[in-house]
Amino acid sequence: MKPRKIKDGIYAVGAVDWDRRLFDGLIPLPDGTSYNAYLVKGSEKTALLDTVDPAKRSILFENLSDVHSLDYLIAHHGEQDHSGLTPDILAKYPSAKVVCSPKAKGILTDLLALPEDRFVTVADGQTLSLGDWTFEFVHTPWVHWPETMCTYLREDKILFSCDFFGSHIAQSNLFVTDRGRVYESAKRYFAEIMMPFRTAIQKNLERLGKLEIATIAPSHGPVYGDPRLIMDAYREWTSDKVKNEVVVAYVSMHGSTAAMVDHLVAGLAERGVQVWQFNLTDTDIGKLAVALVDAATIVLATPAVHVGPHPQLAFAVFLANALRPKLKFASVIGSYGWGHKIVDQIAAMIPNLKVELLPPVICRGLPREGDFAAVENLAETIAQKHAALGLD
Ligand code: FEO
């Protein structure tokens, strides 16, 4: 993709990655992604805002082929999909300085072995003039590393937000065109990457609320010409409000656990509770993460494997604990053949989830009448707990 003009003097010079299907060896990217870098040419100084993933080096350098001098490389974040080509940019532009938060300086120095004399650190609220443009730096820690910051272009009210408000979506249009598609992708991005830092993000949203923002230019996905779409969404996702929804994550080996899951899901549906059901042997963990953004309850369903939960279920539990969703309730259902410690082991795996554990239902072999009755009781308990929170 060639440089694309946002306004006179402001260009997107990053790369679209249509083919990438996995991030961090963990996160599925069904829609690819982009690594957005921006070039701002002022009347006196020129700045590049972030680099791109090293795999897309040739695209960034092609897009900078007409840029013969650079004064600043603004580094919002230390992760290598944005910072990875910093050494290459510093080599191409020997007088350029890396502008970043003090914490980012330490991270960039360690991750990329950069020399100290190439850095200028900036405080929260500090400004930098390019002549006719003025950058204001806004420290936004924990979106999603401790060193992250945004850059606000005062004259045109553009917020360059790096990962904050990003979405893993490859598209040729620079700006958001399909709001629904971008909303879904941004929610997935939030769920997978930002959700553990929900309370820190609330504070950062308050901070940004003091700025008049006309455009948000993140480092992944399209640019928001209407910032309300993503800022309102982030306010909702980070709020303490949950919905009348249950995530059922399950594995079944011989059908017993699946029979209990079917019964539970039917019981919840009869009571007007929305269920998102995931068979963990064949599921997109990104979709599971998205469902956890709003759900009030999670039910973990597993057979015993060597007395503990099935490893696929254990992975989902580990993930849910790491993502720290705002769940209020959790329960466990499942089956065993000759012995189990399923409930104790799962309970020990979720210290980050501030949930009330509802009575589990574990049966030996095929579930019978009494087991289905217990599952029905669990559905009723969940419905009542949700109703007590005012969820409908
Ligand atoms: Fe897109 Fe945290 O890097």
Side-chain angles (χ1 to χ4, degrees):
M1 201 70 69
K2 292 182 177 174
R4 290 171 290 171
K5 188 164 96 172
I6 297 178
K7 307 226 168 184
D8 282 341
I10 305 175
Y11 302 90
V13 293
V16 177
D17 194 337
W18 299 91
D19 298 327
R20 188 159 181 180
R21 288 291 173 266
L22 196 63
F23 202 90
D24 290 345
L26 174 67
I27 299 168
L29 302 181
D31 301 313
T33 190
S34 65
Y35 319 107
N36 304 339
Y38 301 95
L39 185 74
V40 180
K41 291 180 174 175
S43 57
E44 296 173 11
K45 305 279 187 184
T46 297
L48 175 67
L49 286 74
D50 295 314
T51 71
V52 303
D53 191 280
K56 297 295 177 185
R57 183 185 190 281
S58 61
I59 294 175
L60 177 66
F61 275 69
E62 175 66 26
N63 287 345
L64 295 176
S65 57
D66 292 335
V67 179
H68 301 298
S69 75
L70 185 74
D71 300 286
Y72 305 114
L73 169 55
I74 314 293
H76 293 116
H77 175 31
E79 196 166 8
Q80 290 90 333
D81 52 326
H82 311 293
S83 70
L85 292 176
T86 300
D88 304 57
I89 291 292
L90 293 184
K92 177 177 168 71
Y93 301 106
S95 59
K97 296 282 188 187
V98 177
V99 178
C100 64
S101 71
K103 274 195 177 146
K105 178 181 175 183
I107 287 173
L108 289 165
T109 302
D110 289 342
L111 294 188
L112 301 169
L114 298 175
E116 291 234 351
D117 63 354
R118 299 299 297 269
F119 283 93
V120 175
T121 59
V122 288
D124 183 37
Q126 192 170 334
T127 60
L128 179 71
S129 174
L130 303 185
D132 49 353
W133 300 112
T134 312
F135 286 154
E136 176 181 340
F137 301 107
V138 184
H139 286 196
T140 49
W142 296 111
V143 287
H144 58 118
W145 282 13
E147 85 299 7
T148 50
M149 71 173 192
C150 299
T151 297
Y152 179 63
L153 181 59
R154 280 183 172 172
E155 288 79 7
D156 268 37
K157 302 178 175 53
I158 301 174
L159 183 76
F160 297 96
S161 61
C162 200
D163 279 348
F164 203 2
F165 307 125
S167 56
H168 282 312
I169 184 168
Q171 65 170 58
S172 58
N173 286 333
L174 179 60
F175 281 84
V176 172
T177 48
D178 184 337
R179 290 168 63 94
R181 187 160 181 253
V182 173
Y183 178 94
E184 286 301 317
S185 185
K187 187 172 186 180
R188 183 184 178 104
Y189 188 92
F190 170 84
E192 293 166 332
I193 294 162
M194 299 290 174
M195 188 154 62
F197 312 106
R198 192 169 62 84
T199 51
I201 293 172
Q202 287 172 348
K203 293 191 185 89
N204 287 321
L205 287 171
E206 272 178 41
R207 172 85 169 82
L208 294 179
K210 294 175 181 142
L211 300 173
E212 190 181 340
I213 299 171
T215 305
I216 292 179
S219 291
H220 297 290
V223 174
Y224 298 89
D226 176 5
R228 287 173 303 179
L229 170 68
I230 192 64
M231 292 190 80
D232 287 350
Y234 261 70
R235 287 188 188 103
E236 181 187 334
W237 299 335
T238 59
S239 76
D240 295 331
K241 286 189 294 185
V242 289
K243 294 184 178 172
N244 187 22
E245 297 181 6
V246 175
V247 169
V248 177
Y250 81 102
V251 180
S252 189
M253 296 195 300
H254 300 291
S256 297
T257 300
M260 297 170 80
V261 165
D262 288 347
H263 202 80
L264 177 70
V265 171
L268 290 167
E270 276 173 22
R271 291 166 175 82
V273 180
Q274 175 71 269
V275 182
W276 303 108
Q277 179 179 326
F278 298 93
N279 181 341
L280 297 169
T281 60
D282 181 24
T283 199
D284 174 344
I285 59 165
K287 288 193 172 182
L288 174 63
V290 169
L292 289 171
V293 172
D294 299 318
T297 298
I298 187 168
V299 176
L300 301 156
T302 179
V305 175
H306 305 308
V307 308
H310 190 287
Q312 295 280 18
L313 190 282
F315 174 68
V317 174
F318 185 87
L319 192 68
N321 184 64
L323 294 177
R324 299 171 180 257
K326 52 192 173 186
L327 293 161
K328 305 293 183 195
F329 310 104
S331 190
V332 179
I333 63 175
S335 57
Y336 68 98
W338 43 265
H340 78 92
K341 293 181 180 174
I342 293 171
V343 177
D344 289 348
Q345 290 192 9
I346 290 177
M349 291 171 68
I350 52 172
N352 293 341
L353 301 185
K354 306 305 176 198
V355 291
E356 177 185 346
L357 283 171
L358 304 178
V361 183
I362 308 293
C363 70
R364 181 167 180 169
L366 284 172
R368 296 171 175 79
E369 198 175 323
D371 303 309
F372 286 125
V375 170
E376 195 74 25
N377 282 342
L378 177 59
E380 178 62 22
T381 301
I382 291 170
Q384 288 182 7
K385 291 284 184 184
H386 286 200
L389 290 179
L391 308 179
D392 53 27

